[in-house]
Short mmCIF file of all heavy atoms in Angstrom, two decimals:
data_model
loop_
_atom_site.label_atom_id
_atom_site.label_comp_id
_atom_site.label_asym_id
_atom_site.label_seq_id
_atom_site.Cartn_x
_atom_site.Cartn_y
_atom_site.Cartn_z
N SER A 1 0.82 -1.20 0.00
CA SER A 1 -0.01 0.01 0.00
C SER A 1 0.86 1.25 0.00
O SER A 1 0.58 2.21 -0.73
CB SER A 1 -0.93 0.00 1.22
OG SER A 1 -1.84 1.07 1.17
N ASN A 2 1.93 1.26 0.83
CA ASN A 2 2.84 2.40 0.84
C ASN A 2 3.49 2.57 -0.53
O ASN A 2 3.57 3.70 -1.05
CB ASN A 2 3.92 2.20 1.90
CG ASN A 2 3.44 2.49 3.29
OD1 ASN A 2 3.50 3.60 3.74
ND2 ASN A 2 2.94 1.48 3.99
N TRP A 3 3.91 1.50 -1.11
CA TRP A 3 4.54 1.50 -2.43
C TRP A 3 3.57 2.03 -3.50
O TRP A 3 3.88 2.95 -4.27
CB TRP A 3 4.99 0.08 -2.76
CG TRP A 3 5.90 -0.10 -3.97
CD1 TRP A 3 5.98 0.70 -5.06
CD2 TRP A 3 6.82 -1.16 -4.16
NE1 TRP A 3 6.90 0.19 -5.95
CE2 TRP A 3 7.44 -0.94 -5.42
CE3 TRP A 3 7.21 -2.27 -3.41
CZ2 TRP A 3 8.40 -1.79 -5.94
CZ3 TRP A 3 8.16 -3.11 -3.91
CH2 TRP A 3 8.79 -2.88 -5.17
N PHE A 4 2.35 1.47 -3.48
CA PHE A 4 1.34 1.83 -4.49
C PHE A 4 0.94 3.29 -4.41
O PHE A 4 0.89 3.99 -5.44
CB PHE A 4 0.11 0.93 -4.26
CG PHE A 4 -1.09 1.33 -5.07
CD1 PHE A 4 -1.19 0.99 -6.42
CD2 PHE A 4 -2.13 2.07 -4.49
CE1 PHE A 4 -2.29 1.35 -7.17
CE2 PHE A 4 -3.22 2.44 -5.26
CZ PHE A 4 -3.31 2.10 -6.58
N VAL A 5 0.70 3.79 -3.20
CA VAL A 5 0.22 5.17 -3.05
C VAL A 5 1.32 6.17 -3.48
O VAL A 5 1.02 7.16 -4.16
CB VAL A 5 -0.22 5.45 -1.62
CG1 VAL A 5 -0.51 6.94 -1.41
CG2 VAL A 5 -1.46 4.62 -1.30
N TRP A 6 2.57 5.89 -3.10
CA TRP A 6 3.62 6.80 -3.52
C TRP A 6 3.70 6.91 -5.03
O TRP A 6 3.80 8.03 -5.57
CB TRP A 6 4.97 6.32 -2.96
CG TRP A 6 5.25 6.85 -1.59
CD1 TRP A 6 5.11 6.19 -0.42
CD2 TRP A 6 5.72 8.15 -1.26
NE1 TRP A 6 5.44 6.99 0.64
CE2 TRP A 6 5.83 8.21 0.15
CE3 TRP A 6 6.07 9.27 -2.02
CZ2 TRP A 6 6.28 9.36 0.82
CZ3 TRP A 6 6.51 10.40 -1.33
CH2 TRP A 6 6.60 10.43 0.06
N VAL A 7 3.66 5.80 -5.71
CA VAL A 7 3.82 5.80 -7.16
C VAL A 7 2.63 6.44 -7.85
O VAL A 7 2.80 7.24 -8.78
CB VAL A 7 4.03 4.36 -7.69
CG1 VAL A 7 3.94 4.31 -9.21
CG2 VAL A 7 5.37 3.81 -7.19
N THR A 8 1.43 6.15 -7.41
CA THR A 8 0.23 6.65 -8.10
C THR A 8 -0.07 8.12 -7.79
O THR A 8 -0.70 8.80 -8.62
CB THR A 8 -0.99 5.79 -7.75
OG1 THR A 8 -1.19 5.78 -6.33
CG2 THR A 8 -0.80 4.36 -8.25
N GLN A 9 0.36 8.60 -6.64
CA GLN A 9 -0.01 9.97 -6.26
C GLN A 9 1.09 10.97 -6.59
O GLN A 9 0.79 12.15 -6.78
CB GLN A 9 -0.32 10.03 -4.76
CG GLN A 9 -1.48 9.16 -4.32
CD GLN A 9 -2.73 9.35 -5.18
OE1 GLN A 9 -3.20 10.48 -5.32
NE2 GLN A 9 -3.24 8.28 -5.73
N MET A 10 2.35 10.55 -6.67
CA MET A 10 3.44 11.52 -6.86
C MET A 10 3.35 12.25 -8.19
O MET A 10 3.90 13.33 -8.35
CB MET A 10 4.79 10.83 -6.72
CG MET A 10 5.11 9.85 -7.82
SD MET A 10 6.66 8.99 -7.53
CE MET A 10 6.74 7.90 -8.96
N ASN A 11 2.69 11.67 -9.16
CA ASN A 11 2.63 12.29 -10.49
C ASN A 11 1.24 12.79 -10.85
O ASN A 11 0.98 13.11 -11.99
CB ASN A 11 3.12 11.29 -11.57
CG ASN A 11 2.68 9.89 -11.29
OD1 ASN A 11 1.57 9.67 -10.84
ND2 ASN A 11 3.54 8.91 -11.59
N HIS A 12 0.34 12.90 -9.84
CA HIS A 12 -0.99 13.47 -10.07
C HIS A 12 -1.34 14.54 -9.05
O HIS A 12 -1.79 15.63 -9.43
CB HIS A 12 -2.05 12.37 -10.02
CG HIS A 12 -2.13 11.52 -11.23
ND1 HIS A 12 -2.48 12.03 -12.46
CD2 HIS A 12 -1.90 10.20 -11.43
CE1 HIS A 12 -2.44 11.05 -13.37
NE2 HIS A 12 -2.09 9.94 -12.77
N ILE A 13 -1.17 14.24 -7.76
CA ILE A 13 -1.60 15.14 -6.71
C ILE A 13 -0.95 16.53 -6.77
O ILE A 13 -1.59 17.53 -6.45
CB ILE A 13 -1.38 14.50 -5.31
CG1 ILE A 13 -2.31 13.30 -5.14
CG2 ILE A 13 -1.61 15.51 -4.19
CD1 ILE A 13 -3.77 13.63 -5.24
N PRO A 14 0.33 16.64 -7.20
CA PRO A 14 0.93 17.97 -7.28
C PRO A 14 0.33 18.86 -8.37
O PRO A 14 0.57 20.06 -8.41
CB PRO A 14 2.41 17.71 -7.58
CG PRO A 14 2.64 16.28 -7.20
CD PRO A 14 1.35 15.59 -7.46
N MET A 15 -0.47 18.25 -9.26
CA MET A 15 -0.95 18.97 -10.43
C MET A 15 -2.31 19.61 -10.19
O MET A 15 -2.88 19.53 -9.09
CB MET A 15 -0.98 18.04 -11.63
CG MET A 15 0.37 17.42 -11.94
SD MET A 15 1.66 18.64 -12.22
CE MET A 15 1.13 19.34 -13.77
N HIS A 16 -2.88 20.21 -11.24
CA HIS A 16 -4.15 20.94 -11.15
C HIS A 16 -5.30 19.98 -10.80
O HIS A 16 -5.50 18.96 -11.49
CB HIS A 16 -4.42 21.62 -12.49
CG HIS A 16 -5.68 22.44 -12.48
ND1 HIS A 16 -5.80 23.65 -11.79
CD2 HIS A 16 -6.87 22.25 -13.09
CE1 HIS A 16 -6.99 24.14 -11.98
NE2 HIS A 16 -7.68 23.32 -12.75
N ILE A 17 -6.05 20.29 -9.74
CA ILE A 17 -7.23 19.52 -9.33
C ILE A 17 -8.41 20.48 -9.18
O ILE A 17 -8.33 21.48 -8.49
CB ILE A 17 -6.98 18.78 -8.01
CG1 ILE A 17 -5.76 17.86 -8.11
CG2 ILE A 17 -8.21 17.97 -7.60
CD1 ILE A 17 -5.37 17.18 -6.80
N ASP A 18 -9.51 20.17 -9.85
CA ASP A 18 -10.66 21.06 -9.85
C ASP A 18 -11.88 20.28 -10.32
O ASP A 18 -11.80 19.13 -10.70
CB ASP A 18 -10.38 22.27 -10.76
CG ASP A 18 -11.30 23.45 -10.46
OD1 ASP A 18 -12.22 23.30 -9.62
OD2 ASP A 18 -11.11 24.51 -11.06
N TYR A 19 -13.01 20.96 -10.35
CA TYR A 19 -14.20 20.38 -10.98
C TYR A 19 -13.95 20.28 -12.46
O TYR A 19 -13.08 20.96 -13.01
CB TYR A 19 -15.44 21.25 -10.70
CG TYR A 19 -15.86 21.31 -9.27
CD1 TYR A 19 -15.52 22.40 -8.45
CD2 TYR A 19 -16.59 20.28 -8.69
CE1 TYR A 19 -15.90 22.46 -7.13
CE2 TYR A 19 -16.98 20.34 -7.35
CZ TYR A 19 -16.67 21.43 -6.59
OH TYR A 19 -17.02 21.47 -5.26
N ASP A 20 -14.73 19.45 -13.12
CA ASP A 20 -14.59 19.27 -14.57
C ASP A 20 -14.98 20.57 -15.29
O ASP A 20 -16.12 21.04 -15.15
CB ASP A 20 -15.44 18.10 -15.04
CG ASP A 20 -15.27 17.84 -16.52
OD1 ASP A 20 -14.29 18.34 -17.10
OD2 ASP A 20 -16.12 17.11 -17.10
N LYS A 21 -14.06 21.15 -16.03
CA LYS A 21 -14.33 22.39 -16.77
C LYS A 21 -14.55 22.12 -18.25
O LYS A 21 -14.59 23.06 -19.06
CB LYS A 21 -13.14 23.35 -16.61
CG LYS A 21 -12.83 23.73 -15.18
CD LYS A 21 -13.99 24.46 -14.51
CE LYS A 21 -13.63 24.92 -13.10
NZ LYS A 21 -14.76 25.60 -12.43
N ASN A 22 -14.69 20.86 -18.62
CA ASN A 22 -14.90 20.46 -20.03
C ASN A 22 -13.82 21.00 -20.95
O ASN A 22 -14.09 21.44 -22.06
CB ASN A 22 -16.29 20.91 -20.50
CG ASN A 22 -17.41 20.10 -19.88
OD1 ASN A 22 -17.31 18.88 -19.77
ND2 ASN A 22 -18.48 20.76 -19.45
N VAL A 23 -12.60 20.99 -20.45
CA VAL A 23 -11.43 21.35 -21.28
C VAL A 23 -11.19 20.23 -22.25
O VAL A 23 -11.56 19.07 -21.99
CB VAL A 23 -10.22 21.63 -20.39
CG1 VAL A 23 -9.00 22.01 -21.21
CG2 VAL A 23 -10.54 22.71 -19.35
N ASP A 24 -10.56 20.52 -23.39
CA ASP A 24 -10.28 19.47 -24.36
C ASP A 24 -9.45 18.35 -23.74
O ASP A 24 -8.71 18.59 -22.79
CB ASP A 24 -9.55 20.06 -25.57
CG ASP A 24 -8.17 20.57 -25.24
OD1 ASP A 24 -8.06 21.72 -24.77
OD2 ASP A 24 -7.18 19.82 -25.41
N TRP A 25 -9.59 17.15 -24.30
CA TRP A 25 -9.00 15.95 -23.71
C TRP A 25 -7.49 16.08 -23.55
O TRP A 25 -6.93 15.77 -22.49
CB TRP A 25 -9.33 14.74 -24.60
CG TRP A 25 -8.75 13.45 -24.07
CD1 TRP A 25 -9.36 12.60 -23.18
CD2 TRP A 25 -7.49 12.85 -24.40
NE1 TRP A 25 -8.52 11.52 -22.91
CE2 TRP A 25 -7.38 11.66 -23.66
CE3 TRP A 25 -6.43 13.23 -25.26
CZ2 TRP A 25 -6.27 10.83 -23.75
CZ3 TRP A 25 -5.32 12.41 -25.32
CH2 TRP A 25 -5.24 11.21 -24.57
N PHE A 26 -6.79 16.57 -24.56
CA PHE A 26 -5.34 16.69 -24.53
C PHE A 26 -4.90 17.57 -23.37
O PHE A 26 -4.00 17.22 -22.61
CB PHE A 26 -4.84 17.23 -25.87
CG PHE A 26 -3.34 17.24 -26.00
CD1 PHE A 26 -2.64 16.13 -26.41
CD2 PHE A 26 -2.63 18.43 -25.73
CE1 PHE A 26 -1.25 16.17 -26.54
CE2 PHE A 26 -1.27 18.46 -25.84
CZ PHE A 26 -0.56 17.32 -26.26
N SER A 27 -5.52 18.72 -23.26
CA SER A 27 -5.13 19.67 -22.18
C SER A 27 -5.46 19.10 -20.79
O SER A 27 -4.71 19.29 -19.83
CB SER A 27 -5.87 21.00 -22.36
OG SER A 27 -5.50 21.60 -23.61
N THR A 28 -6.60 18.38 -20.71
CA THR A 28 -6.97 17.77 -19.44
C THR A 28 -5.91 16.81 -18.95
O THR A 28 -5.55 16.77 -17.77
CB THR A 28 -8.31 17.04 -19.57
OG1 THR A 28 -9.33 17.99 -19.96
CG2 THR A 28 -8.71 16.39 -18.26
N GLN A 29 -5.37 16.00 -19.87
CA GLN A 29 -4.36 15.01 -19.51
C GLN A 29 -3.07 15.71 -19.04
O GLN A 29 -2.42 15.28 -18.08
CB GLN A 29 -4.05 14.10 -20.70
CG GLN A 29 -5.27 13.38 -21.31
CD GLN A 29 -6.01 12.56 -20.30
OE1 GLN A 29 -5.43 11.84 -19.48
NE2 GLN A 29 -7.33 12.67 -20.31
#
């Protein structure tokens, strides 16, 4: 669990998090 959470969160949580603004798919990724 420690291993899994570190890997999956380190490259998402630091980034932009918000409600869905219906931005184009490429920009959303």
Side-chain angles (χ1 to χ4, degrees):
S1 187
N2 282 272
W3 190 334
F4 170 80
V5 172
W6 272 100
V7 170
T8 56
Q9 300 308 307
M10 66 184 180
N11 38 37
H12 284 297
I13 293 301
M15 302 304 290
H16 183 71
I17 302 174
D18 199 354
Y19 294 100
D20 183 16
K21 301 298 184 181
N22 288 318
V23 180
D24 67 275
W25 181 87
F26 185 84
S27 299
T28 299
Q29 305 304 316

